[in-house]
Amino acid sequence: MGKLFNELKQDILYQHGMNACLNCGVCTAVCPAAEFNDYSPREVMNIVQSEDDELIEELLKSDKIWYCGQCFSCKTRCPRGNSVASVILALRRLAIHYGYFAESEKGRQQLIAKRVFGENMLKRGYTLLAQNISPSHFPELGENWEYYYDHMREMREWWGVPMDLENSPGSHRMIPEQDMEEVRTIYQKTGAVSLMDAVEKGMEKKLGSKAEVEKYWQTWLETGDSRNYEIK
Ligand code: SF4
Ligand code: SF4
């Protein structure tokens, strides 16, 4: 048992999620993420249960821990009452804390999650703003959305629901500053802000400089796909 496993088992999400795994594979059979990706919740539990730091480190550096969609189907079916979803969250926290997340493509996408969902939450109390739903990232929304995206401000004026109003509907609404202070305090106290900082630092370490991190970010903004950034 090494440092990584020791730290993992201190995590309350791990303690709630792992009650000893039979390796029966029921979780993998019901997992929607396993249907489409090289991912098996049974395999994740098996690696974690081995308490082998080398295997755990390999897992933390891989895409696998980022495929889970947190649907909790595995929890409701597991004969031991395990929650792979919770164990996955504990693994993700560890991967970000030690910078291992930046070794995999799916892990590196945490920069996008941090800069979009995380920063939106701290600024506006909302994970995804209409301004973020660009047609290049969401082509499936089609022409109507393209039109709305390009004419958002005037269309909302026309509907009588201008942008950025307190109590206005949907992702344009402004949340009262007092409530925003509470959100920021929760993020601070639960360690979410330090994880967000660790994402920036881990990416800088992996890509070599802040300028390269910005290039990665710009690549995603402009092309809608971070895989277009070439890792040197
Ligand atoms: S269903 Fe439960 S016991 Fe079976 S492999 Fe998955 S986590 Fe382990
Ligand atoms: S919570 Fe994750 S591991 Fe469990 S079934 Fe859903 S996608 Fe699969």
Side-chain angles (χ1 to χ4, degrees):
M1 191 194 305
K3 184 176 101 170
L4 285 176
F5 182 72
N6 256 331
E7 199 164 324
L8 187 64
K9 73 177 188 181
Q10 311 297 325
D11 194 314
I12 195 158
L13 285 163
Y14 174 83
Q15 292 163 11
H16 284 179
M18 174 64 100
N19 300 309
C21 167
L22 300 169
N23 235 318
C24 66
V26 167
C27 50
T28 298
V30 300
C31 174
E35 181 82 18
F36 299 103
N37 302 293
D38 175 20
Y39 171 65
S40 159
R42 182 204 59 78
E43 184 195 9
V44 168
M45 295 299 262
N46 202 27
I47 290 172
V48 167
Q49 201 167 232
S50 72
E51 303 185 10
D52 181 328
D53 257 28
E54 265 180 45
L55 294 177
I56 294 173
E57 184 178 322
E58 205 180 308
L59 181 65
L60 297 178
K61 288 178 172 172
S62 75
D63 280 329
K64 296 188 182 193
I65 57 169
W66 306 103
Y67 284 128
C68 166
Q70 295 288 298
C71 69
F72 283 79
S73 305
C74 50
K75 171 158 177 52
T76 54
R77 312 300 205 293
C78 174
R80 297 303 306 265
N82 293 326
S83 168
V84 187
S86 305
V87 173
I88 286 278
L89 287 179
L91 288 166
R92 287 178 181 173
R93 183 141 61 186
L94 211 52
I96 290 174
H97 181 73
Y98 285 106
Y100 295 135
F101 75 97
E103 298 301 320
S104 71
E105 164 54 28
K106 293 279 169 275
R108 286 189 287 278
Q109 290 176 7
Q110 294 317 295
L111 183 85
I112 296 154
K114 180 262 174 186
R115 289 193 178 185
V116 179
F117 308 129
E119 290 183 10
N120 279 347
M121 272 306 287
L122 294 178
K123 283 186 203 139
R124 293 283 300 267
Y126 214 86
T127 51
L128 197 59
L129 305 175
Q131 295 93 304
N132 304 129
I133 307 173
S134 69
S136 66
H137 293 112
F138 297 88
E140 69 278 16
L141 295 180
E143 286 175 8
N144 287 352
W145 182 261
E146 254 177 66
Y147 186 86
Y148 177 67
Y149 188 81
D150 291 339
H151 302 85
M152 223 177 266
R153 195 164 285 275
E154 59 205 84
M155 283 187 75
R156 286 178 59 90
E157 293 284 351
W158 181 54
W159 289 331
V161 277
M163 306 274 284
D164 303 341
L165 270 190
E166 208 166 291
N167 301 322
S168 101
S171 66
H172 296 285
R173 77 189 196 278
M174 293 299 286
I175 293 184
E177 192 46 33
Q178 190 189 341
D179 298 346
M180 282 308 307
E181 270 312 306
E182 287 178 13
V183 170
R184 291 184 196 113
T185 304
I186 290 168
Y187 265 57
Q188 198 79 45
K189 299 265 185 212
T190 56
V193 170
S194 57
L195 281 178
M196 285 166 70
D197 292 344
V199 167
E200 293 282 346
K201 284 194 194 112
M203 285 296 281
E204 191 182 331
K205 191 164 170 228
K206 174 68 186 172
L207 304 186
S209 67
K210 279 193 169 61
E212 282 303 314
V213 177
E214 291 317 310
K215 260 194 219 169
Y216 176 90
W217 171 243
Q218 281 305 324
T219 303
W220 178 75
L221 283 179
E222 284 161 21
T223 70
D225 191 340
S226 57
R227 286 170 297 185
N228 292 326
Y229 173 91
E230 218 173 293
I231 297 274
K232 288 161 196 143

